[in-house]
Amino acid sequence: DVKVTQSSRYLVKRTGEKVFLECVQDMDHENMFWYRQDPGLGLRLIYFSYDVKMKEKGDIPEGYSVSREKKERFSLILESASTNQTSMYLCASSSPTGMNTEAFFGQGTRLTVV
Amino acid sequence: AQSVTQLDSQVPVFEEAPVELRCNYSSSVSVYLFWYVQYPNQGLQLLLKYLSGSTLVESINGFEAEFNKSQTSFHLRKPSVHISDTAEYFCAVISRSNYQLIWGAGTKLIIKP
């Protein structure tokens, strides 16, 4: 089975802390994505990566950065956490080939910034 | 630019009643179409997809969706819902030209006993 694993299900952090969210996939997928999910707003793309050391901004990159040093791992970094970054964070991966472009998701990390 | 519209943010329905969750998209190029489901406190998982061929696609748990090119729609249906279908459902498209993934805002299916 394809597996996308996010390091934490729940996190509570203080305002101003640097926060790392880790995501690992075991399907050798080229594409990896970070989304945040908020009620009524659906999924919003923060960053994505099509290859190692490659990153592209999504729709809402402000306040976030990412790192992809290895193909299987894609990290989301909150440089200085703020209360408006309290949200559900979802990592996903996919293969770019035409017939298998479905995305596989991790279980999500519910982050609370206090 | 491509977009996906899910017209209903919530759909309440009685158990064993039929349901339709609506999805419309706009795109100037051909697309692949997906429905994902998110059960409470979980990540998203693929429910069904249309890539090519028959325009009617089915999932293993009784859902089906029909690709209608003229109406640019991909509505999700189930003839009889169960309490276990309570979840949020997301429609998504991928452009065949650049493989960009575009999401709808989601529809919460609420099953009333």
Side-chain angles (χ1 to χ4, degrees):
Chain A
D1 277 355
V2 173
K3 199 163 185 181
V4 179
T5 303
Q6 295 183 229
S7 53
S8 305
R9 290 294 304 273
Y10 301 94
L11 274 179
V12 180
K13 296 292 182 180
R14 294 193 181 278
T15 301
E17 276 193 76
K18 191 169 186 176
V19 181
F20 293 86
L21 303 183
E22 306 286 348
C23 176
V24 178
Q25 50 95 2
D26 64 359
M27 278 298 293
D28 201 35
H29 283 165
E30 289 83 356
N31 304 334
M32 296 190 74
F33 308 85
W34 274 107
Y35 294 92
R36 65 176 282 176
Q37 183 181 17
D38 300 288
L41 297 178
L43 275 69
R44 293 183 290 168
L45 183 63
I46 305 172
Y47 269 96
F48 60 98
S49 170
Y50 287 151
D51 202 352
V52 176
K53 295 191 185 293
M54 179 272 186
K55 59 187 178 184
E56 293 285 345
K57 292 180 180 179
D59 301 319
I60 52 164
E62 295 78 17
Y64 303 94
S65 62
V66 290
S67 172
R68 193 164 182 202
E69 296 295 318
K70 293 185 178 181
K71 191 175 185 179
E72 67 269 20
R73 186 180 296 270
F74 192 36
S75 303
L76 180 69
I77 303 156
L78 286 65
E79 298 291 343
S80 177
S82 64
T83 54
N84 63 11
Q85 293 178 309
T86 292
S87 186
M88 169 72 92
Y89 290 87
L90 294 168
C91 176
S93 72
S94 72
S95 169
T97 54
M99 295 302 287
N100 292 293
T101 52
E102 65 191 80
F104 295 86
F105 282 82
Q107 290 287 78
T109 297
R110 188 166 293 281
L111 173 67
T112 302
V113 182
V114 298
Chain B
Q2 295 156 343
S3 66
V4 178
T5 302
Q6 291 182 247
L7 292 166
D8 305 300
S9 60
Q10 291 188 56
V11 173
V13 62
F14 284 104
E15 197 169 12
E16 299 184 5
V19 69
E20 178 180 84
L21 306 183
R22 296 178 292 170
C23 173
N24 288 88
Y25 69 94
S26 66
S27 176
S28 58
V29 298
S30 296
V31 295
Y32 300 117
L33 297 150
F34 304 84
W35 276 100
Y36 285 80
V37 58
Q38 184 180 32
Y39 298 106
N41 297 314
Q42 295 188 26
L44 278 73
Q45 52 188 284
L46 183 69
L47 185 61
L48 47 75
K49 61 184 177 183
Y50 170 78
L51 302 179
S52 64
S54 172
T55 57
L56 183 65
V57 291
E58 298 176 353
S59 72
I60 58 173
N61 58 351
F63 282 94
E64 64 179 31
E66 186 159 21
F67 169 51
N68 188 318
K69 189 174 182 180
S70 62
Q71 296 186 4
T72 60
S73 68
F74 191 54
H75 301 330
L76 182 69
R77 301 183 182 94
K78 190 171 185 179
S80 176
V81 296
H82 188 267
I83 194 73
S84 60
D85 294 323
T86 297
E88 190 160 15
Y89 293 80
F90 291 89
C91 182
V93 302
I94 290 179
S95 162
R96 297 193 190 200
S97 62
N98 61 14
Y99 296 107
Q100 185 179 8
L101 182 58
I102 308 296
W103 293 91
T107 299
K108 287 188 177 177
L109 179 59
I110 300 166
I111 310 298
K112 299 184 287 186

